Amino acid sequence: MAAQSSPSRRRFLLGGLGLGVAGVGALVLGWGVLPPRQRLHGSAPLPLQDGAVALNGWLAIGADGMVILAMPRSEMGQGVHTALPMLVAEELDVPLNSVKLIQGPMDKIFGNVAMLKDSLPFHPDDQGRLKTLAQWTVAKAARELGVIVTGGSSSVKDGWGPMREAGASARAMLLKAAAAQWQVPAAQCRTQDGTVIHPDGRRASYASLAQRAAAIDPGTPVLKLPQDFKLIGQPAPRRDTPSKVNGSARFGIDARPPGMLYAALHLPPRLGDTLAAFDAAPILALPGVIKVLDLTPQLAQRSVSCAAVVADTWWHAKQAAAALPTQWKADPQAKLSSAGVYAEFARLLDSEAGHAYHASGEVEGKAVQALRSVKAEYRAPFLAHAAMEPVNCTAQVKDGKVMLWVSTQAPGIAVDVAAKVAGVDAKDVVIEVLLLGGGFGRRLEVDMVAQAVAIALQCDGAPVQLVWTREQDIQHDMYRPAALARFAARLDEHGRIASWDNKSVSGSITHQFLQRNFGLPGAGPDKTTAEGEFDMPYEIANQRIAHVIADSVVPIGYWRSVGHSHNAFFKESFIDELAHAAGQDGIVFRRAMLLKHPRHLAVLDAAVAKAGTPPPGHAHGVALHQSFGSIVAQVAQVSVENGEIRVQRVVCAIDCGIAVNPNIIAQQMESAVLFGLSAALGGEITFKDGKVEQSNFHDYPVLRMGQTPEVVSIIIASAEHPEGVGEPGTPPIAPAVANAVFSLTGKRLRSLPLRLA
């Protein structure tokens, strides 16, 4: 499959986007006045078989009447392989079970526009011209980039326009084809269940009309109005559930090309160590071992320095790799410790002003000097992704071509890195994207792809499957950044917030990601560092929210809900502190600051009403947070048993705009709550002497069945554009639990994970 754009062009455009708002004017000049690239017709035909006829770049009609939909987004349990076909089926007037998915080609029309557009650091309440211009420009640039990626809770948001247009356009073509065949006005015809129907009783299936329809100009697609929806808004069952239940679903680790070999890695013991030497002789004598390889020269900046063992089974490869005698050259940063990281964070907060993402009024002027002051400091640790499916990739390099079988969130980036490592053109790389056994941002990275291709290059054309161990996954992740935040607020004589000053510090994910994957130096502000702090909805006249970027020798990456994952904990916990200092109930305190935000009020009120009153010995904690366009309020019912925090019930209300599939939204709220609760109660990656101290689920725990609370989801009816669903349920859970613990015990927990001892 051809790459969607050249790596050099992508680097140029991404570099322009990296200029931020200040660079918008430069981007507009020259090409900004031209219309945006269309997203309906691809640059190459769809890969079709058995007489199927393409009606646009997204879909085709099979000879059996099935609708064949090119799917550019990865399914990692979030339900997009159900929700996105619903958009097409709705507009095309076909049953959902008549839509068949094929993998979308590497074409620019499938690039994720919404994800890049949402990366701009504007406040949600900002409706100014600069924001409008910046969003338009970045969306236009994103169409040129055509980066195919699944992340940022953006799949439905991004597909809402082009996928509905693809369905509506195809429907118009089929209507016109039937009308021409019957020699009647198209306006007299209607569609239903894959058939065009005339009032006189004549009927024609889509399959019988497809060939004629393919030559017809559909005109401007006319989309259905919400009141005419038949599928959208209905709780349709997940399409991927049966195959996952019966075992036929294929994940990345299930790839089995003929003649496949297996590979395992020997990774550095400490952060930054470089492989100096190894003794292959005793390893080559072990059962099943075929090769012992030093991958460091081939991988450059695309992976840590490492060796690999290739064998006839993965167990042989794994055992041999673990036994490989190695010598390592220590990096100067090998003495890194978690204590040192937080000490450096504190120094930076003391000495640096940081970039102000949002400011209004004054926080230290005469108007607020005489008011009561409250200060607090919060911190959050590094976190691993710990997806259930181990990190893996299967690769074959043969006759100047590369074949990849991989569960990835970023197939376009995977193709590029495979081409670079193998020394071929991107058009000579073919990728099969399989189901992901969890992603959470880890599979936005392509280090495993680079490693697998580097191994396959030395295996004489045989396909090779690389699988990491759980210990390697936890000790060599691209971690959720650690962060430190300081707050200072003043309350007036009525107990209202008169000023709010918040400064935080962490590493920049975006800077590292651009360097790792595109060779671009990190520069300028990074929205992900301060999101969830600067974009809060609370109506506070005087506020300043700033962030200091710390150089991070720890590799960091996108983790489910990114900066919101810890910044919501900081912000919502401090809001609760201020409510207590003002002698007010936390809910009443929040409601008074949301008078101009009716959607936020409605979400908060719905969650509180459903939660009711906690039983004796329990307490409720509340948190309200907006992320990825969606507003979520959660009420956690908490008890303390034998010194341990127990969460029995969580009520979660969400306004995510139009609810395409309420069933999936409820599932995602449950998933996000449990994911966030695992981190809140036990998630922590610590460093000592440059080495990660955790290694597996015994010391990096996730919730067990007996710890799992009941999760009650409330979906607020809305006519707004669909927003994110996969991540917004994660950020509010940690502060909701912490606030409940304070109500119950009087102890204010300001560090994650939450521990009473």
Side-chain angles (χ1 to χ4, degrees):
M1 300 176 185
Q4 68 269 33
S5 62
S6 71
S8 60
R9 177 171 176 80
R10 264 202 297 275
R11 281 195 295 273
F12 171 77
L13 286 169
L14 280 167
L17 290 177
L19 295 174
V21 178
V24 168
L27 280 170
V28 171
L29 293 175
W31 61 271
V33 296
L34 299 174
R37 180 183 292 271
Q38 59 85 29
R39 297 184 70 187
L40 188 58
H41 301 287
S43 58
L46 288 174
L48 301 173
Q49 297 177 346
D50 302 326
V53 179
L55 299 185
N56 51 57
W58 291 83
L59 61 85
I61 305 297
D64 57 358
M66 294 291 288
V67 177
I68 301 165
L69 173 63
M71 176 53 62
R73 302 293 172 252
S74 301
E75 177 60 72
M76 49 188 166
Q78 81 281 39
V80 293
H81 284 190
T82 300
L84 292 178
M86 289 177 69
L87 305 182
V88 171
E90 179 68 75
E91 295 293 346
L92 195 50
D93 274 342
V94 297
L96 182 58
N97 61 10
S98 71
V99 180
K100 173 184 175 182
L101 303 185
I102 61 171
Q103 183 178 313
M106 297 291 104
D107 196 291
K108 286 185 178 181
I109 66 169
F110 302 123
N112 194 326
V113 174
M115 185 174 174
L116 286 183
K117 181 180 173 183
D118 286 350
S119 69
L120 288 168
F122 287 101
H123 195 286
D125 292 345
D126 185 358
Q127 301 299 323
R129 293 179 60 187
L130 177 60
K131 179 179 179 179
T132 301
L133 174 62
Q135 288 183 330
W136 183 88
T137 304
V138 169
K140 187 172 186 295
R143 293 185 184 216
E144 296 301 316
L145 287 164
V147 178
I148 299 174
V149 63
T150 305
S153 298
S154 60
S155 294
V156 171
K157 182 190 302 189
D158 185 71
W160 181 251
M163 296 188 84
R164 290 179 64 208
E165 288 170 7
S169 175
R171 177 178 174 273
M173 295 164 74
L174 292 160
L175 274 170
K176 290 182 178 181
Q181 180 173 301
W182 297 332
Q183 296 185 342
V184 298
Q188 291 182 0
C189 303
R190 64 182 180 89
T191 55
Q192 180 180 329
D193 293 338
T195 304
V196 181
I197 303 170
H198 189 268
D200 65 8
R202 283 180 286 182
R203 305 168 70 93
S205 69
Y206 286 178
S208 68
L209 297 168
Q211 199 67 52
R212 179 192 289 265
I216 292 175
D217 181 359
T220 302
V222 179
L223 303 180
K224 286 185 180 180
L225 297 174
Q227 58 264 34
D228 297 325
F229 289 160
K230 298 175 182 177
L231 278 175
I232 293 175
Q234 300 304 310
R238 288 274 295 269
R239 291 158 52 94
D240 54 336
T241 298
S243 65
K244 290 177 177 177
V245 171
N246 66 29
S248 64
R250 293 180 68 233
F251 295 84
I253 203 169
D254 295 322
R256 292 293 183 273
M260 187 178 79
L261 303 175
Y262 296 83
L265 298 179
H266 188 105
L267 293 171
R270 290 178 303 275
L271 200 67
D273 282 3
T274 303
L275 185 61
F278 62 81
D279 185 2
I283 303 305
L284 288 169
L286 294 175
V289 173
I290 298 169
K291 290 178 181 287
V292 182
L293 307 170
D294 181 358
L295 303 184
T296 305
Q298 295 168 283
L299 294 178
Q301 300 299 314
R302 300 181 182 98
S303 162
V304 295
S305 175
C306 60
V309 173
V310 181
D312 58 351
T313 70
W314 184 75
W315 183 251
H316 282 149
K318 184 253 186 188
Q319 293 292 93
L324 180 66
T326 55
Q327 297 175 28
W328 296 88
K329 179 182 178 182
D331 186 272
Q333 300 289 347
K335 296 295 184 183
L336 176 81
S337 69
S338 293
V341 169
Y342 287 115
E344 174 62 8
F345 283 176
R347 186 192 69 79
L348 289 170
L349 287 181
D350 289 338
S351 61
E352 302 290 333
H355 175 76
Y357 282 84
H358 182 70
S360 61
E362 55 185 16
V363 296
E364 295 178 343
K366 294 180 180 179
V368 294
Q369 276 184 351
L371 304 177
R372 182 180 177 187
S373 178
V374 180
K375 296 183 178 181
E377 182 174 285
Y378 287 82
R379 78 179 196 179
F382 294 103
L383 291 176
H385 295 83
M388 285 296 100
E389 181 189 8
V391 172
N392 69 89
C393 178
T394 304
Q396 182 178 29
V397 182
K398 186 177 181 181
D399 301 329
K401 307 287 185 181
V402 179
M403 180 69 201
L404 298 174
W405 297 263
V406 63
S407 47
T408 179
Q409 295 176 243
I413 300 175
V415 164
D416 282 351
V417 75
K420 290 186 180 77
V421 172
V424 302
D425 290 335
K427 63 180 176 58
D428 292 321
V429 179
V430 176
I431 185 170
E432 182 178 349
V433 180
L434 297 153
L435 293 172
L436 284 63
F440 314 126
R442 178 61 179 97
R443 286 181 163 91
L444 286 168
E445 304 289 346
V446 292
D447 49 330
M448 74 294 288
V449 175
Q451 293 160 355
V453 173
I455 295 168
L457 268 171
Q458 303 177 65
C459 288
D460 307 315
V464 183
Q465 183 174 93
L466 170 67
V467 180
W468 288 29
T469 66
R470 178 65 62 192
E471 289 78 8
Q472 289 172 335
D473 181 26
I474 287 180
Q475 296 188 328
H476 295 276
D477 201 350
M478 277 70 167
Y479 302 99
R480 197 282 303 272
L484 188 68
R486 289 177 181 167
F487 293 84
R490 290 180 168 86
L491 299 172
D492 66 16
E493 63 274 18
H494 303 292
R496 295 177 298 218
I497 301 176
S499 71
W500 173 284
D501 192 2
N502 169 209
K503 183 166 60 171
S504 57
V505 58
S506 69
S508 167
I509 299 170
T510 302
H511 289 183
Q512 283 202 14
F513 188 84
L514 290 175
Q515 176 63 49
R516 275 196 301 267
N517 295 293
F518 297 97
L520 291 169
D526 174 4
K527 176 197 173 185
T528 69
T529 61
E531 61 187 2
E533 291 180 323
F534 81 90
D535 45 5
M536 64 178 176
Y538 298 121
E539 296 149 12
I540 303 169
N542 303 297
Q543 55 178 292
R544 181 182 186 273
I545 297 96
H547 185 272
V548 180
I549 291 178
D551 292 333
S552 177
V553 298
V554 177
I556 53 178
Y558 299 104
W559 188 92
R560 190 175 189 174
S561 74
V562 203
H564 293 282
S565 66
H566 48 82
N567 290 331
F569 168 68
F570 301 158
K571 179 259 296 180
E572 283 299 292
S573 295
F574 190 60
I575 284 286
D576 216 61
E577 285 205 52
L578 294 178
H580 179 73
Q584 297 182 29
D585 174 77
I587 299 165
V588 174
F589 192 72
R590 287 173 172 83
R591 293 189 90 260
M593 295 186 291
L594 296 170
L595 301 181
K596 298 178 182 178
H597 292 79
R599 292 179 69 188
H600 295 76
L601 266 175
V603 173
L604 177 62
D605 288 347
V608 170
K610 184 67 174 179
T613 303
H618 298 66
H620 280 171
V622 176
L624 172 71
H625 194 74
Q626 180 173 352
S627 63
F628 305 95
S630 293
I631 306 160
V632 175
Q634 290 176 2
V635 181
Q637 180 182 314
V638 175
S639 65
V640 174
E641 301 174 13
N642 299 319
E644 291 190 5
I645 300 168
R646 298 298 302 268
V647 183
Q648 280 81 20
R649 185 171 186 252
V650 177
V651 175
C652 177
I654 180 171
D655 181 343
C656 58
I658 291 174
V660 173
N661 187 330
N663 182 50
I664 290 176
I665 295 170
Q667 291 175 359
Q668 282 300 288
M669 292 305 101
E670 294 166 6
S671 165
V673 165
L674 301 185
F675 187 85
L677 194 54
S678 289
L681 297 181
E684 184 178 29
I685 291 293
T686 57
F687 290 85
K688 183 178 181 181
D689 295 329
K691 184 176 180 179
V692 175
E693 295 186 283
Q694 293 73 28
S695 63
N696 210 313
F697 290 126
H698 69 283
D699 52 11
Y700 190 80
V702 297
L703 284 185
R704 273 34 176 194
M705 291 287 285
Q707 299 170 298
T708 301
E710 175 192 8
V711 180
V712 179
S713 299
I714 304 168
I715 302 168
I716 305 296
S718 175
E720 300 292 331
H721 189 287
E723 297 289 349
V725 169
E727 295 168 279
T730 292
I733 187 61
V737 172
N739 294 338
V741 170
F742 177 77
S743 296
L744 200 60
T745 68
K747 294 188 67 172
R748 184 66 68 181
L749 304 181
R750 298 190 180 94
S751 294
L752 293 172
L754 302 172
R755 293 181 180 132
L756 286 170

